[in-house]
Amino acid sequence: MTLHHVSYGDGTPVLALHGWTPDHRLMTGCLEPIFTDLPGYRRLYPDLPGMGQSPAGDIDSSDGILAAVQSFVDEQIGAEPFLLIGESYGGYLARALARERPDQVLGLSLICPIGTVVENADRTVPEHVVLRSEPGVVESLTEGEDFTELAVVRTATALAAYRKDVAPGLAIADTAALDRIERKRRLSVDPESGPVWTRPTLIVCGRQDSITGYEDTYVLLPHYPRASLAVLDVAGHNLQLEQPELFAALTREWLQRVADDAQGLPQPPTSG
């Protein structure tokens, strides 16, 4: 299966995997403003099977989606080292990809990732709250817009980003295929079942994320001894839309750690 994708820039490949139901625009919207000022990276943004413009075919599990991503890497990146970014469900896949390709992935960044608990109903999550709002935003929503379902920040800026980066993918997802795949959403091999992964890692969670939460990511830390974990206040599952400046700063710092590591600069110890 060939995944639809967009690509920007030249240099070290960066593979960005979006979450469940949206498409590649979820990732281009938050990452391209960062990479525009950082030359030397070739950013690859695929649509996962059943989402965006990538057909699901006969895929009926997360194992099938992961296999499609593996094929995409073989086709577009080959054996070249690359950076890996995943959001929510894409973060779950990214961890599995890092396990499968430990010597090829230079660094791993996880945005509001699914933690150790894959099934929604079993996760430890806070209640949905709204902490920042502007007058008239809710009233401006059109019929069927589900912006308020996840939004912790209800401002005109956050709504505009949601309409540009999230809503278009939601509108074209193959819901029948996703319902089929969701029955086998758990990967058959746990992403953390292999050796400890010792390259620069960033895990960014929203303190008010009512979808994946933040507590289920704590137990990941021993497996990623080079991980920075940031839990941002006033941020839900659309953290990148609600705290864009903090998200950009943390991502740039992670990119610098990856670059330093690749150049063989002295690194801090990974254990006490």
Side-chain angles (χ1 to χ4, degrees):
M1 174 180 292
T2 299
L3 301 181
H4 172 265
H5 75 284
V6 297
S7 177
Y8 303 101
D10 298 294
T12 302
V14 181
L15 175 61
L17 304 177
H18 62 80
W20 189 258
T21 312
D23 63 12
H24 71 273
R25 286 168 283 196
L26 181 72
M27 307 306 285
T28 58
C30 65
L31 292 175
E32 280 306 296
I34 299 172
F35 282 104
T36 296
D37 298 326
L38 296 173
Y41 296 98
R42 178 166 68 100
R43 290 90 68 192
L44 296 159
Y45 301 97
D47 288 340
L48 296 174
M51 294 165 260
Q53 298 182 52
S54 293
D58 60 358
I59 290 175
D60 66 354
S61 66
S62 287
D63 287 345
I65 291 183
L66 180 60
V69 173
Q70 291 271 37
S71 295
F72 179 82
V73 173
D74 291 337
E75 294 168 2
Q76 299 296 327
I77 299 175
E80 187 176 358
F82 66 97
L83 284 73
L84 184 54
I85 303 173
E87 191 272 348
S88 192
Y89 177 74
Y92 182 49
L93 297 175
R95 285 154 46 205
L97 199 58
R99 175 184 54 78
E100 294 290 335
R101 298 172 181 255
D103 298 325
Q104 189 178 4
V105 177
L106 297 171
L108 178 64
S109 175
L110 307 174
I111 308 162
C112 298
I114 290 176
T116 54
V117 182
V118 177
E119 301 305 325
N120 297 41
D122 298 330
R123 297 172 188 163
T124 302
V125 299
E127 294 291 328
H128 177 242
V129 295
V130 178
L131 296 182
R132 189 173 295 162
S133 61
E134 292 176 351
V137 170
V138 173
E139 291 76 10
S140 72
L141 297 175
T142 60
E143 185 176 354
E145 281 193 296
D146 59 359
F147 171 69
T148 58
E149 183 179 342
L150 301 182
V152 172
V153 175
R154 295 179 178 178
T155 63
T157 300
L159 175 57
Y162 172 84
R163 285 173 167 169
K164 178 175 68 73
D165 303 340
V166 182
L170 298 179
I172 62 174
D174 184 343
T175 54
L178 295 183
D179 287 345
R180 179 181 74 237
I181 294 167
E182 193 166 22
R183 299 187 189 106
K184 299 180 182 178
R185 200 177 192 191
R186 180 178 293 277
L187 292 164
S188 59
V189 179
D190 188 278
E192 283 71 49
S193 61
V196 168
W197 203 80
T198 59
R199 287 186 168 172
T201 303
L202 172 65
I203 306 172
V204 188
C205 302
R207 183 65 175 81
Q208 290 79 32
D209 186 340
S210 59
I211 302 300
T212 56
Y214 61 91
E215 293 185 55
D216 294 335
T217 63
Y218 292 162
V219 295
L220 296 176
L221 293 178
H223 190 78
Y224 302 96
R226 294 287 310 282
S228 292
L229 171 63
V231 181
L232 306 186
D233 188 28
V234 195
H237 198 58
N238 286 328
L239 173 151
Q240 72 281 4
L241 310 182
E242 299 176 332
Q243 291 286 4
E245 293 85 4
L246 278 174
F247 171 73
L250 289 164
T251 300
R252 290 191 184 98
E253 189 277 335
W254 167 71
L255 289 169
Q256 186 60 58
R257 283 193 286 133
V258 174
D260 291 346
D261 195 65
Q263 294 171 12
L265 297 181
Q267 302 297 317
T270 58
S271 60

